Amino acid sequence: MDSGTVPRTVPVDRMASGDHACLGFEDEDARWEVRAAFTAIGLDQGERVLLFSGRGTPPAEAVTRLTALGVRAAEAVRRGALVITPLVPGYDSAAAWSALTETARRLGYRGLRAAGDMSWALRPGLDRDRLIGHEAAMTPVLAGLGLTAVCEYDQRRFHASLLARVRAAHPVCLRPPSGALHVERLGGTLALSGDADLATRTEFEVGLRHAFTSPAGPPYVIDLTGVGFIDARCAGVLIRHAASLGPADRVTVRCPRLHARTLRLCGATEVPQLVLDET
């Protein structure tokens, strides 16, 4: 990709198989929210997930982080579906990625996806042109393998001029969690948009509490199709409100497949008052 080409910007759940994406982040919570969603999608699709967590993050800490965000990470690690390593990929060759993908498929997985911390590219004397050339060269390799990959760049540590070149070398840039949540009641529907995570948890909880205790009655539909990410704690809040309804009442949660999976992992199927409508 040449420097004049503008990559498309998408949330993590809109990545296609074989996409080579750049994630620029400014805080660890945002990065881990993207990692959790990326991992959950891969596991849900029957892929093997390879996470290069970075030298400062041991695998046990990574499992704890992912678990807090609704991913059954320990179970996935035990069965080999999730591989977490503090090592760094560096300038791994096309042959190396091909071998990893073939191994995943031989073990019965549909394919491979990988996310990696790129702080190794901060080492003194790094050849920037080589880095950009490598990133650009990996795009057709990953597309050919159907290997979905995220390169994580800490925007607080990389110079803006290098980040601009890095982004241009990727066909896709990921949009980090927005840190904003909008809640709107439209008749019997409660529509939410933005992100339901650590940064917006209070707004999420207050919005649902007001809706379920409204004199107009609780909502019949909760529309999450405009929500880019929902974490396990927010999912739990929603499920508890649904469970507070009478035994004959129902609330339909309209949501993308990824959100439905998070809700199921948090116990939605155990609440008869909650009906999932995957879109």
Side-chain angles (χ1 to χ4, degrees):
M1 174 172 290
D2 63 67
S3 59
T5 303
V6 179
R8 76 182 195 275
T9 301
V10 299
V12 65
D13 60 334
R14 295 294 185 268
M15 289 183 71
S17 176
D19 269 349
H20 180 206
C22 175
L23 170 66
F25 65 94
E26 294 184 352
D27 66 80
E28 287 300 311
D29 286 338
R31 177 178 35 184
W32 279 100
E33 285 165 9
V34 171
R35 281 180 168 180
F38 182 77
T39 301
I41 293 167
L43 297 176
D44 189 46
Q45 294 179 165
E47 297 174 316
R48 195 177 211 190
V49 181
L50 177 57
L51 176 60
F52 295 92
S53 59
R55 289 197 176 98
T57 307
E61 180 182 337
V63 168
T64 300
R65 286 256 196 181
L66 293 172
T67 301
L69 291 166
V71 180
R72 291 184 175 178
E75 175 191 330
V77 168
R78 281 195 299 272
R79 58 187 173 88
L82 173 61
V83 180
I84 303 174
T85 174
L87 300 177
V88 295
Y91 293 122
D92 281 353
S93 66
W97 288 112
S98 179
L100 288 169
T101 304
E102 290 175 7
T103 297
R105 289 181 175 141
R106 188 171 61 251
L107 292 172
Y109 298 99
R110 292 181 59 187
L112 181 70
R113 61 173 48 211
D117 179 273
M118 294 295 292
S119 59
W120 61 269
L122 290 165
R123 63 175 180 255
L126 177 84
D127 186 330
R128 292 187 172 190
D129 290 335
R130 184 186 179 192
L131 173 66
I132 301 304
H134 175 76
E135 290 281 34
M138 287 307 300
T139 294
V141 172
L142 299 176
L145 294 171
L147 195 166
T148 310
V150 176
C151 301
E152 305 168 348
Y153 286 86
D154 189 337
Q155 296 176 158
R156 300 162 299 182
R157 303 179 66 193
F158 284 87
H159 194 277
S161 61
L162 178 57
L163 282 172
R165 295 182 65 193
V166 163
R167 290 191 181 96
H170 291 77
V172 178
C173 283
L174 291 186
R175 185 168 66 239
S178 66
L181 181 73
H182 180 67
V183 183
E184 184 177 10
R185 178 74 181 257
L186 302 169
T189 298
L190 185 69
L192 298 94
S193 59
D195 293 304
D197 55 24
L198 179 65
T200 61
R201 196 167 292 156
T202 299
E203 291 89 339
F204 185 87
E205 293 177 351
V206 170
L208 260 67
R209 183 168 65 249
H210 285 173
F212 276 83
T213 59
S214 168
Y220 299 109
V221 175
I222 297 178
D223 189 348
L224 301 181
T225 56
V227 172
F229 178 78
I230 182 169
D231 68 14
R233 291 195 180 181
C234 288
V237 169
L238 192 160
I239 291 168
R240 286 194 294 275
H241 278 293
S244 71
L245 296 173
D249 294 325
R250 297 290 183 273
V251 60
T252 297
V253 178
R254 186 179 300 138
C255 60
R257 183 183 183 189
L258 175 63
H259 300 352
R261 183 182 188 279
T262 299
L263 288 162
R264 289 193 185 96
L265 289 173
C266 293
T269 55
E270 301 170 11
V271 178
Q273 298 96 320
L274 192 158
V275 178
L276 288 176
D277 176 16
E278 295 184 41
T279 61

